[in-house]
């Protein structure tokens, strides 16, 4: 484990830095922009699903780890996209005028 950490030390630093930058960026987004940004994030995650499907298609038939991880990526990504659009739709409902 320690050898892997030593070999990937720069990547670990980059990931930790990305986490802190992401928290700072998201924390300073005004409330008005959350709905459009969520829709954009859902569209981007759709591209991630397509990428996971492509990776699964290119995996060797005997590589069960890659196939299982790819399948999990597709399932979790799909849940994220659908859930994000449901939440976005509910948020947009708040701005619509109610019918009398």
């Amino acid at each position: 484990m320690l050898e892997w950490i030593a070999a990937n030390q720069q990547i670990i630093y980059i990931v930790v830095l990305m986490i802190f930058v992401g928290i700072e960026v998201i924390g300073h987004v005004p409330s008005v922009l959350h709905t459009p940004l969520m829709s954009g994030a859902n569209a981007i995650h759709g591209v991630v699903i397509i990428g996971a499907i492509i990776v699964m298609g290119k995996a060797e038939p005997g590589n069960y780890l890659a196939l299982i991880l790819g399948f999990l990526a597709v399932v979790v990504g799909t849940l994220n996209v659908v859930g994000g659009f449901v939440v976005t739709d509910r948020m947009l409902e708040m701005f619509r005028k109610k019918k009398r």
Side-chain angles (χ1 to χ4, degrees), residues 13-78:
Y13 288 149
I14 291 171
V15 170
V16 171
L17 181 63
M18 286 188 309
I19 291 170
F20 285 122
V21 169
I23 290 171
E24 283 297 313
V25 168
I26 291 172
H28 290 93
V29 172
S31 301
V32 177
L33 293 178
H34 276 286
T35 302
L37 288 176
M38 278 181 53
S39 295
N42 289 333
I44 291 170
H45 210 85
V47 173
V48 171
I49 294 171
I50 293 170
I53 292 171
I54 292 171
V55 168
M56 282 179 53
K58 301 266 183 191
E60 296 177 13
N63 192 353
Y64 294 114
L65 180 64
L67 293 173
I68 290 170
L69 288 177
F71 177 75
L72 288 175
V74 170
V75 170
V76 172
T78 303

Side-chain angles (χ1 to χ4, degrees), residues 42 45 49 75-89:
N42 289 333
H45 210 85
I49 294 171
V75 170
V76 172
T78 303
L79 289 174
N80 190 17
V81 169
V82 171
F85 280 121
V86 168
V87 169
T88 302
D89 188 51

